[in-house]
Amino acid sequence: MDDKSIRILQDYRDKCYVSNILCEMNCDFYRKVRQIVNIPLILSSTIMGIMNSSSFPENDLKIANIVLNASTSLLLSLIGNFKVAEKVSSFRNSALKFNKLCHFIEDKLMNEEEITNETVRQIIIDYDNIYESLEFSFSGRSKDKCKQRFAGKRTLPNILNCEIDFKRPKTPLRKSSVVEKNDLFCVEEPVVFVKEENDKDIRVQVDL
């Protein structure tokens, strides 16, 4: 196998490794969010159980139950709206896939005789398929941390490596003194042609 294919596999091994770390960071973040949101739910359920088993006035219990039920419904709606559980599951599954593909590439690099063009092509397809299966985007904070951690050390995936802002500088338009039109040149100054004839200079001025 040629060195070019080996370099490609090494680059995709780094991309899988960095992508795995990126998915793990986002999975951990949304897992913490889910745990934080679940604390009020646990507290509200506990308070409701205590109040229902105690001898409080009936009107007070009704008001407390209304407030607690409304708070619980609001928290559950927020969790469902932001799809916290789905994000945890999606990033976790993608991290496992990237890790598995990274180990597969390392195994192929250990046995260079088994590397073929079809193997390299299939690895690239598998890598692209994992990113296509991602349903949610990465957070900006996690991407910044990965870039600071692996920039210049590993080959970064495109989602981290192609973020240059291509902005052309605004320069004022300059009026050109020569404008091409119908194969003729319109020049601001008159053109003077000099022709020698019988040892005499004949100067012809043409005004355009």
Side-chain angles (χ1 to χ4, degrees):
M1 178 51 61
D2 56 350
D3 294 338
K4 182 179 179 181
S5 297
I6 294 177
R7 286 196 300 270
I8 292 174
L9 288 185
Q10 290 173 345
D11 289 343
Y12 273 88
R13 177 196 58 188
D14 291 347
K15 290 181 179 181
C16 289
Y17 176 75
V18 176
S19 298
N20 172 51
I21 299 297
L22 188 60
C23 289
E24 287 287 353
M25 292 175 65
N26 282 268
C27 179
D28 293 340
F29 171 75
Y30 288 109
R31 187 183 290 116
K32 290 179 181 178
V33 172
R34 184 177 61 180
Q35 292 173 352
I36 293 172
V37 175
N38 283 337
I39 293 176
L41 294 176
I42 297 172
L43 293 176
S44 63
S45 300
T46 304
I47 293 172
M48 287 178 63
I50 294 173
M51 293 182 65
N52 290 329
S53 61
S54 301
S55 57
F56 289 99
E58 186 177 353
N59 292 331
D60 295 341
L61 286 176
K62 287 183 179 180
I63 296 174
N65 285 330
I66 292 173
V67 173
L68 291 175
N69 288 330
S71 301
T72 303
S73 300
L74 178 60
L75 289 174
L76 291 175
S77 300
L78 290 175
I79 293 174
N81 183 48
F82 290 107
K83 299 181 179 180
V84 177
E86 290 83 350
K87 290 179 180 179
V88 172
S89 177
S90 177
F91 285 123
R92 179 58 181 166
N93 292 333
S94 298
L96 293 175
K97 292 178 182 179
F98 279 123
N99 191 40
K100 183 178 180 180
L101 184 59
C102 182
H103 291 167
F104 178 78
I105 297 174
E106 288 177 343
D107 180 68
K108 291 299 180 181
L109 291 174
M110 292 291 294
N111 303 281
E112 297 182 2
E113 296 81 7
E114 300 180 2
I115 300 176
T116 61
N117 292 333
E118 185 63 29
T119 302
V120 176
R121 189 178 300 108
Q122 187 61 42
I123 288 174
I124 296 174
I125 293 174
D126 293 341
Y127 173 85
D128 292 336
N129 288 337
I130 297 175
Y131 265 105
E132 290 177 0
S133 65
L134 274 172
E135 300 177 4
F136 307 100
S137 58
F138 299 110
S139 64
R141 184 179 180 183
S142 63
K143 292 195 292 185
D144 292 338
K145 285 186 176 180
C146 279
K147 284 188 288 186
Q148 293 174 1
R149 181 177 176 182
F150 298 110
K153 301 176 183 178
R154 299 267 188 173
T155 303
L156 299 179
N158 295 341
I159 196 171
L160 302 179
N161 203 30
C162 299
E163 291 190 345
I164 302 176
D165 188 11
F166 294 99
K167 291 183 179 180
R168 296 182 178 180
K170 295 181 179 180
T171 55
L173 297 176
R174 294 180 299 175
K175 182 180 178 181
S176 176
S177 60
V178 179
V179 179
E180 185 176 357
K181 184 177 180 181
N182 297 329
D183 296 332
L184 294 176
F185 291 93
C186 300
V187 188
E188 293 179 350
E189 298 295 334
V191 180
V192 178
F193 297 95
V194 180
K195 182 179 179 181
E196 294 183 0
E197 184 177 354
N198 297 328
D199 298 332
K200 294 182 180 180
D201 293 341
I202 300 175
R203 301 178 65 85
V204 179
Q205 179 173 324
V206 180
D207 295 328
L208 299 179

